Amino acid sequence: MAEYKNVYLDYSATTPVKEEVLKEMIPYFIEHYGNASSLYTIGLESKSALDKAREQVANLVGASPKEIYFTGSGSEADNWALESTAFDMRAKGKGNHIITSCIEHHAVLHTCEYLEKQGFEVTYLDVDKEGFVSPEDLEKAIKDETVLISIMFVNNEIGTIEPIKELAEVARRHKVLFHTDAVQALGNVEIDVKDLGVDMLSMSAHKIYGPKGQGALYIRRGVRISNFIHGGAQEMGKRAGTENMAGIVGFGKAAEMARTNLDNHIRHCSELRDYLVSEIEKKIPKVFVNGSRKHRHPGNANITFEYIEGESILLLMDMYGVAVSTGSACSSKSLNPSHVLSAIGIPHEMIHGSIRFTTGDYTTKEEIDFAVEKLVEVVEKLRELSPVNSEKGWN
Amino acid sequence: MGLYNDKVMDHFMNPRNVGELENPDGTGVYGSPVCGDMMQVQIKVENDVIVDAKFKTFGCGSAIASSSMATEMIIGKTIDEALAISNKTIIDELGGLPPVKVHCSVLADHAIKCAIYEYAEKNGKKYKGLEGFDPNEEEDDHDHVAEE
Ligand SMILES: Cc1ncc(COP(=O)(O)O)c(C=O)c1O
Ligand SMILES: [Zn+2]
């Protein structure tokens, strides 16, 4: 059997829960099992844990705790923000036009497609070759009927950090609500909702070393959107369902750690990411980096290996224990070439050979060395197997 | 546990008959990197029997495994027997492929027919299994719409 080492380089897909986070979560299963809505002691204990977590999450993005609503996932936060805003605004006769970008996560894109079926008109803004949405393009797309703009903060495939402050400024000038999917930005770039001027912002715990199945939506004070999950009066009456206490407490702790650790995290992840990229560029010919080199998620590297196909790379790397992804995790079973790489103008044959690596807090230099060593072998092996190569060209 | 069964993984990890032949009697190329899968297969024919075959494939795990299995299946077979091999027989021989990957095995079956077609054209031969076969037919039946 080949040399095997567990090397996880897919921190954008999800992260392990940190020990400190888990430690805070555990009591909420057996000991502190009270329902936060109950008025006796163990209920009130849960209530105060809920308040604390809300404050921890609020602090990470510069919001007030009253502006944070816990949800069941980042996807739910996106669905809620888009659907409720769209339906509310149309009901008020404000219009039926939504603007988003063509590189959004499917949580936003598929919600937009659903809204189109409900009679809304959606404009999907193009991006430039590094994946940036231009504030000028946004301004041109706004019409009298525009009721919502949703542009992601950091792209999950190529890591491009969008100019959210400028984009939100355009929205504000035109008095249109602005939402951003910050799931990949959280804990990876500094976020201050007040400074950014966004109206709504989606978050998810499992990308910042918190538990899966836990998200939150920031809704700026003064912005009112209808409920998405109807029922009890949880989350200030805005999101029904008995709270996932362990999940919320874990999210709170993860958010607190992400805040205190932000500078270290960014430095650590970007140093190792840069090392990974330079090693690959040094040791493997015919590769290129997709996305922006400058305004980029600290751990993300998206690299095209010419003349070979991504799934084969992924499977062979997996044989050595190295976990990487082809495009975005949710498209690995789909035959469609990545919509994000298409949008930045990468030809299909090269999209098929693109791999996303993400470094994280537990990544080490030794792991990168091991991954690169194996990558060199894998790429060589697959290129031997390939009918296309640099001499013959692509046909 | 994995995406593929052990047999598929074995053919993917240790593909048989990789490479190119010195003087092939027929070469077939099918698919394109734009679609995500492309296979080139070359055959050596003696007395209507395929005595050797080599392939090169750009593609996913199942495309490579199907290519490897298909070349193994045709070596030693008569042309007529080789023409009777369909993507279904290749999949069966591999012990099955995930449903979304079935189209990748069509590649091997078509590429082999293309190679035999070239051999038949060059040598003025006719085979029943090639009736109605068009090597330039667009692979538009490729299912690119499956999602997540
Ligand atoms: C940009 C982006 N938005 C939304 C999501 C969905 O978050 P969750 O997995 O919590 O539903 C993800 C996660 O894959 C993401 O990367
Ligand atoms: Zn395939």
Side-chain angles (χ1 to χ4, degrees):
Chain A
M1 187 57 212
E3 196 187 351
Y4 191 93
K5 219 180 220 178
N6 275 312
V7 176
Y8 185 67
L9 289 175
D10 201 14
Y11 283 83
S12 271
T14 194
T15 58
V17 170
K18 283 193 171 161
E19 292 278 350
E20 297 92 323
V21 171
L22 179 65
K23 210 176 275 168
E24 301 257 330
M25 291 172 67
I26 285 173
Y28 290 89
F29 289 104
I30 293 178
E31 244 174 285
H32 307 310
Y33 52 82
N35 187 317
S37 304
S38 305
L39 298 177
Y40 38 74
T41 309
I42 60 162
L44 297 174
E45 277 168 5
S46 288
K47 173 73 172 70
S48 81
L50 198 53
D51 292 343
K52 181 179 167 197
R54 200 183 307 284
E55 193 170 330
Q56 288 166 317
V57 172
N59 285 341
L60 180 57
V61 297
S64 134
K66 288 203 183 80
E67 298 170 310
I68 301 296
Y69 300 86
F70 289 115
T71 63
S73 64
S75 298
E76 184 191 322
D78 285 339
N79 277 252
W80 180 16
L82 268 66
E83 283 190 36
S84 289
T85 307
F87 288 120
D88 289 358
M89 297 304 269
R90 183 165 71 180
K92 284 190 219 155
K94 304 258 184 190
N96 70 338
H97 179 233
I98 297 162
I99 302 172
T100 188
S101 82
C102 58
I103 61 164
E104 298 295 314
H105 188 270
H106 285 141
V108 167
L109 281 185
H110 287 175
T111 304
C112 285
E113 283 159 23
Y114 165 74
L115 288 169
E116 283 181 297
K117 287 197 191 107
Q118 302 303 310
F120 288 89
E121 189 203 332
V122 182
T123 299
Y124 299 90
L125 295 175
D126 282 331
V127 294
D128 68 14
K129 63 185 194 329
E130 296 193 334
F132 292 109
V133 174
S134 118
E136 292 76 46
D137 288 354
L138 173 61
E139 183 134 35
K140 278 185 224 137
I142 296 175
K143 320 194 258 193
D144 289 347
E145 298 76 33
T146 309
V147 293
L148 174 66
I149 296 164
S150 179
I151 308 288
M152 73 198 314
F153 203 140
V154 172
N155 182 268
N156 47 301
E157 291 189 40
I158 54 176
T160 304
I161 302 172
E162 299 296 340
I164 294 300
K165 191 173 173 175
E166 285 75 18
L167 295 166
E169 162 62 26
V170 172
R172 196 169 33 204
R173 233 183 301 123
H174 292 266
K175 299 196 165 53
V176 179
L177 287 172
F178 189 93
H179 164 259
T180 185
D181 173 343
V183 169
Q184 292 290 343
L186 198 71
N188 286 307
V189 297
E190 184 147 347
I191 301 179
D192 181 336
V193 288
K194 300 284 183 302
D195 178 56
L196 290 169
V198 299
D199 296 300
M200 288 169 278
L201 178 142
S202 300
M203 298 167 256
S204 182
H206 74 99
K207 312 281 188 184
I208 62 162
Y209 310 91
K212 295 165 182 56
Q214 185 58 57
L217 180 64
Y218 156 81
I219 308 177
R220 186 171 63 76
R221 186 179 297 132
V223 172
R224 243 172 230 106
I225 62 169
S226 293
N227 291 19
F228 187 59
I229 305 286
H230 306 281
Q234 290 89 356
E235 297 302 293
M236 296 86 95
K238 298 305 296 173
R239 198 273 186 183
T242 300
E243 299 84 353
N244 172 9
M245 285 307 303
I248 290 171
V249 165
F251 192 6
K253 182 65 183 175
E256 181 195 290
M257 292 179 72
R259 190 168 75 99
T260 50
N261 192 37
L262 186 66
D263 293 343
N264 279 334
H265 168 82
I266 292 174
R267 190 174 337 109
H268 177 81
C269 294
S270 58
E271 273 174 17
L272 288 172
R273 185 268 319 272
D274 293 346
Y275 177 61
L276 171 73
V277 171
S278 76
E279 285 291 290
I280 290 175
E281 287 182 318
K282 197 161 75 190
K283 297 187 171 152
I284 305 177
K286 295 283 176 190
V287 296
F288 54 88
V289 178
N290 301 311
S292 166
R293 293 251 182 180
K294 194 152 163 251
H295 300 284
R296 192 184 192 109
H297 179 293
N300 173 289
N302 188 303
I303 297 180
T304 296
F305 298 87
E306 285 199 68
Y307 312 122
I308 54 179
E309 194 271 346
E311 186 201 279
S312 305
I313 302 175
L314 182 152
L315 289 173
L316 289 177
M317 290 301 282
D318 188 40
M319 287 291 132
Y320 294 113
V322 182
V324 297
S325 117
T326 50
S328 88
C330 48
S331 68
S332 62
K333 282 202 191 99
S334 125
L335 308 172
N336 289 335
S338 145
H339 67 285
V340 177
L341 296 176
S342 295
I344 62 170
I346 311 290
H348 282 189
E349 63 272 27
M350 308 226 191
I351 292 176
H352 294 301
S354 301
I355 294 285
R356 178 186 72 181
F357 305 83
T358 345
T359 58
D361 282 351
Y362 300 124
T363 308
T364 63
K365 184 167 176 293
E366 291 67 43
E367 287 184 339
I368 300 287
D369 287 331
F370 180 79
V372 172
E373 181 192 319
K374 297 307 163 199
L375 195 59
V376 170
E377 285 176 30
V378 163
V379 171
E380 216 160 89
K381 173 173 171 155
L382 290 171
R383 282 185 177 163
E384 294 261 298
L385 250 165
S386 178
V388 283
N389 56 49
S390 48
E391 284 153 45
K392 287 191 189 168
W394 277 101
N395 312 291
Chain B
M1 195 193 74
L3 182 56
Y4 301 124
N5 69 40
D6 290 349
K7 196 151 186 190
V8 176
M9 280 312 283
D10 178 41
H11 275 269
F12 167 62
M13 301 284 297
N14 312 295
R16 307 0 169 209
N17 310 308
V18 175
E20 290 179 331
L21 293 172
E22 283 279 321
N23 294 302
D25 294 315
T27 299
V29 177
Y30 196 75
S32 88
V34 178
C35 301
D37 292 309
M38 174 181 177
M39 180 185 182
Q40 169 189 295
V41 64
Q42 299 185 317
I43 52 169
K44 195 99 201 135
V45 184
E46 280 168 23
N47 303 322
D48 256 19
V49 172
I50 297 174
V51 292
D52 202 2
K54 291 262 189 263
F55 84 92
K56 285 200 162 192
T57 291
F58 169 100
C60 65
S62 55
I64 290 172
S66 311
S67 304
S68 165
M69 177 55 89
T71 52
E72 203 166 62
M73 286 166 78
I74 59 169
I75 295 174
K77 293 250 169 50
T78 65
I79 298 263
D80 285 319
E81 285 166 345
L83 285 171
I85 292 171
S86 69
N87 79 304
K88 185 163 180 316
T89 24
I90 299 170
I91 294 174
D92 287 347
E93 206 60 37
L94 282 169
L97 281 177
V100 290
K101 294 292 185 180
V102 167
H103 79 277
C104 309
S105 62
V106 175
L107 193 71
D109 142 41
H110 278 245
I112 286 168
K113 287 199 172 69
C114 291
I116 296 175
Y117 183 87
E118 195 192 83
Y119 167 77
E121 291 284 295
K122 275 202 291 198
N123 296 280
K125 301 207 171 201
K126 290 246 177 307
Y127 296 102
K128 205 158 170 289
L130 281 177
E131 273 168 28
F133 177 75
D134 175 5
N136 300 314
E137 189 188 332
E138 280 302 314
E139 41 163 355
D140 53 12
D141 55 341
H142 236 73
D143 177 17
H144 281 289
V145 289
E147 211 167 26
E148 265 122 299

